[in-house]
Amino acid sequence: AGKIYASHSPSFLLSKTAIGPGDVLARWYAQEVSWQRIMEELDRLGCTLQVATDELNRQRHFFWEVDAKGALWRLELDQGSQRFGQMRHLRVVDDFLGHLQRNQTGLYPEFPFVSLRTHEHYFARWAPALENVCMPLPLVFNDLRDGELRHLVPGGGLAGKVTTPFDPASLRLTVDGHLLHPVWTTCRRPSDALKERCQDWALLDAATAQAIFECCTPADDSEESFILRWAATETKLLLLGDE
């Protein structure tokens, strides 16, 4: 129950393995197949999505968890912390990251973030190991090159909507040693369709942060503060909140 198998699936959803409702959404979104067409095809073939999260899928409420490398993992609300596969579709990941914002919908407070699309709500949270990292957006820059911070999607591809010019002076250090950098995303108020550009913090992954830390030396006035020497500039790394 709750699975759609290749032998019963419309051609645009064919797969060698059983796929869950969240995977159906990903394929629909990536291939620009309308939700109405999916439901019509399933009804014609005698298939239904009979799972505990079926109503959430009908409401187009979906749930994700982000790990320290920025990987996006699908969750089912009634299945605790169990993960149901990693999202690798470039367009889906790019749109998800590009519309991340704080969750002000009043729904699912255990998911502090949400990515709002036309009809979909993608609720998100950090993996448990990262829940105390001063709560930046669940967006990880995992590449730094050509003066840009980037998010590379597993399997290849660049999440271009969040590619950000690297500004050493904008870096902030958290009390537990993580590096943050500002990022701009497209936000939407839950009460209306008005969109606006919003600035928040994103996390740098361990490898990217390490490349920056290797260019740091202790400041003369304190062994607990550091000077970053980058591209012929010198910048003192500030703690988040010390501005």
Side-chain angles (χ1 to χ4, degrees), residues 177-199:
H178 291 85
L179 272 181
L180 309 181
H181 190 282
V183 66
W184 288 89
T185 62
T186 299
C187 301
R188 194 182 84 201
R189 292 197 296 257
S191 58
D192 55 45
L194 181 64
K195 295 180 180 180
E196 57 187 359
R197 296 290 285 171
C198 302
Q199 188 182 59

Side-chain angles (χ1 to χ4, degrees), residues 2-237:
K3 297 291 185 180
I4 303 172
Y5 290 86
S7 60
H8 300 107
S9 299
S11 59
F12 54 84
L13 294 176
L14 285 179
S15 172
K16 293 181 180 179
T17 58
I19 57 177
D23 302 293
V24 172
L25 173 76
R27 293 180 181 217
W28 154 65
Y29 196 92
Q31 299 178 31
E32 299 183 341
V33 177
S34 71
W35 183 258
Q36 180 180 0
R37 182 185 170 196
I38 289 178
M39 299 309 293
E40 288 174 351
E41 285 290 303
L42 294 178
D43 183 65
R44 182 179 66 82
L45 295 169
C47 301
T48 57
L49 298 179
Q50 295 178 343
V51 294
T53 56
D54 185 28
E55 181 58 31
L56 295 174
N57 284 305
R58 293 184 197 279
Q59 296 174 11
R60 302 184 189 181
H61 291 178
F62 305 94
F63 304 91
W64 303 93
E65 184 172 88
V66 178
D67 66 22
K69 295 183 179 180
L72 187 60
W73 299 91
R74 184 169 60 84
L75 303 176
E76 298 287 0
L77 193 61
D78 62 335
Q79 297 296 318
S81 60
Q82 183 179 355
R83 292 173 173 176
F84 292 85
Q86 182 181 355
M87 175 54 65
R88 296 175 178 269
H89 291 279
L90 174 59
R91 182 180 173 186
V92 176
V93 175
D94 192 22
D95 280 341
F96 170 82
L97 296 177
H99 293 83
L100 266 177
Q101 63 184 76
R102 306 281 165 168
N103 182 6
Q104 298 178 333
T105 66
L107 302 171
Y108 316 108
E110 65 272 34
F111 290 85
F113 311 95
V114 66
S115 182
L116 298 174
R117 299 291 292 142
T118 304
H119 299 293
E120 296 82 41
H121 288 53
Y122 297 90
F123 294 92
R125 70 187 185 194
W126 282 108
L130 294 166
E131 287 180 342
N132 295 322
V133 186
C134 298
M135 297 301 283
L137 291 181
L139 190 167
V140 179
F141 289 125
N142 54 19
D143 188 59
L144 171 57
R145 69 181 72 188
D146 300 328
E148 294 180 333
L149 284 165
R150 305 173 176 182
H151 179 85
L152 301 181
V153 179
L158 173 69
K161 290 182 178 178
V162 293
T163 295
T164 300
F166 177 53
D167 177 16
S170 295
L171 288 169
R172 292 297 181 268
L173 189 63
T174 69
V175 293
D176 44 7
H178 291 85
L179 272 181
L180 309 181
H181 190 282
V183 66
W184 288 89
T185 62
T186 299
C187 301
R188 194 182 84 201
R189 292 197 296 257
S191 58
D192 55 45
L194 181 64
K195 295 180 180 180
E196 57 187 359
R197 296 290 285 171
C198 302
Q199 188 182 59
D200 211 306
W201 295 101
L203 180 69
L204 276 63
D205 77 340
T208 304
Q210 182 60 34
I212 293 173
F213 286 138
E214 289 176 355
C215 298
C216 293
T217 56
D220 293 336
D221 59 344
S222 173
E223 293 184 356
E224 296 182 356
S225 60
F226 298 90
I227 299 296
L228 170 62
R229 292 178 170 84
W230 191 273
T233 65
E234 291 189 2
T235 302
K236 186 175 182 178
L237 283 183

